[in-house]
Amino acid sequence: MLEDYSKYSELNRVPVIDVPITGTNMYECVEFLTLHIDELHGEYICVSNAHTSVMAHDDPSYWACQADSLMSVPDGKPLSVVGRNTIESMGRVTGPDLMREIFSISVQQGWTHYFYGNEQKNLEALKDSLQEEYPGLKIAGMEPSVFRPLSDSEKQDLSRRLAESGADFAWIALGAPRQEVLMHELKGGPQPLMIGVGGAFNVLAGVVPEAPIWMQNLSLEWLYRLIQEPKRLFKRYLVTNTKFLFYQFTKAKRKEGK
């Protein structure tokens, strides 16, 4: 049994716009996984940001996907900034950086990895990049998304393939909310620990440029991505960012009124 599950479950969750986010940081998260990865089959981790938090706030079924995770780590800086009012050590755990941290110690730890999602050409670019950046990294499998909902039998087959691969980590890159919904549906199965990392495959593959550190530090990654893909992201960010600020403002006002 995992004795300190509670540290990363209800007792260490911070409500950000009423969505439970894990009060952790990169060091604590990696340390926890290093100590317990062998015990985490069938679990999953959400990499959460303002967009997923707003979706979870508005959709009870998606809220359950976030709440039932082993951890919902604060990828977006607004989440960690809000969370630090409750847990001072809370810090960002971004998808690309979490992957880099895990890969950098994987050879030493003997960990293997399975990658599910995205397109075949981007997976091939990711494989080339990882082999160059992390010599000796063990890749148990790479499988593109089918870009449609999976049937129950297909989900069972995927869970079995992940388990039979012998991987320690299954990186899921379907984008929100699909990846969180899938991981929630597979929870408790024989597959390895699943981590939903959205567009991180493309970042590590060099297919999509990463925001400069100064923009990340100023919580402006959304602006950088908007500049890269204005047609696709304008409406999403306009609605999401406005809702996040509104929900946080109203929550603060409720707290003041108590």
Side-chain angles (χ1 to χ4, degrees):
M1 292 293 293
L2 189 57
E3 295 177 357
D4 58 348
Y5 250 22
S6 61
K7 182 179 179 182
Y8 288 99
S9 57
E10 290 81 3
L11 296 182
N12 206 40
R13 296 286 176 125
V14 177
V16 178
I17 61 170
D18 298 323
V19 178
I21 304 299
T22 305
T24 190
N25 55 51
M26 184 66 77
Y27 175 81
E28 290 180 355
C29 180
V30 173
E31 180 183 45
F32 176 80
L33 296 179
T34 300
L35 291 173
H36 300 296
I37 188 60
D38 291 339
E39 306 161 63
L40 298 179
H41 285 255
E43 293 288 348
Y44 69 95
I45 292 175
C46 298
V47 177
S48 304
N49 54 32
H51 177 60
T52 61
S53 297
V54 167
M55 286 195 294
H57 180 282
D58 294 346
D59 182 348
S61 64
Y62 188 59
W63 185 94
C65 294
Q66 297 280 336
D68 289 345
S69 66
L70 172 70
M71 292 189 265
S72 289
V73 298
D75 173 280
K77 189 169 183 178
L79 275 62
S80 60
V81 169
V82 172
R84 277 199 292 270
N85 293 325
T86 304
I87 298 178
E88 291 185 6
S89 62
M90 194 165 170
R92 295 189 69 191
V93 183
T94 71
D97 284 343
L98 178 59
M99 296 178 77
R100 292 180 180 115
E101 291 288 336
I102 295 297
F103 295 155
S104 69
I105 59 175
S106 285
V107 175
Q108 175 187 352
Q109 296 291 337
W111 293 334
T112 62
H113 304 271
Y114 199 102
F115 300 84
Y116 177 74
N118 211 302
E119 303 176 50
Q120 185 62 43
K121 63 179 182 179
N122 291 346
L123 288 177
E124 291 171 0
L126 175 63
K127 184 176 182 179
D128 291 341
S129 177
L130 294 180
Q131 290 178 334
E132 179 178 352
E133 187 72 20
Y134 307 97
L137 184 72
K138 297 179 181 178
I139 298 176
M142 287 185 153
E143 183 177 340
S145 171
V146 294
F147 297 99
R148 59 168 174 75
L150 300 179
S151 67
D152 289 342
S153 63
E154 287 175 323
K155 293 171 191 172
Q156 293 172 3
D157 288 343
L158 173 60
S159 176
R160 175 183 50 77
R161 290 196 301 275
L162 294 175
E164 291 178 351
S165 74
D168 298 286
F169 292 86
W171 303 95
I172 311 298
L174 304 177
R178 286 182 60 208
Q179 63 195 18
E180 290 80 22
V181 171
L182 176 63
M183 294 189 299
H184 187 243
E185 291 172 336
L186 296 182
K187 179 181 171 72
Q191 72 282 338
L193 174 69
M194 300 170 288
I195 306 179
V197 290
F201 285 13
N202 287 347
V203 172
L204 268 65
V207 174
V208 172
E210 194 167 16
I213 295 297
W214 70 267
M215 295 190 80
Q216 296 182 37
N217 291 337
L218 293 174
S219 302
L220 292 176
E221 283 170 290
W222 66 272
L223 178 60
Y224 186 82
R225 292 188 62 195
L226 178 61
I227 293 171
Q228 303 297 318
E229 300 180 87
K231 291 184 179 180
R232 185 174 75 87
L233 295 177
F234 177 77
K235 183 177 180 180
R236 180 180 120 174
Y237 282 142
L238 176 65
V239 173
T240 294
N241 291 359
T242 301
K243 279 188 171 184
F244 185 87
L245 292 172
F246 175 75
Y247 292 152
Q248 183 60 29
F249 175 78
T250 55
K251 181 180 178 181
K253 284 297 184 181
R254 290 200 310 268
K255 189 174 182 180
E256 290 177 3
K258 289 184 178 179

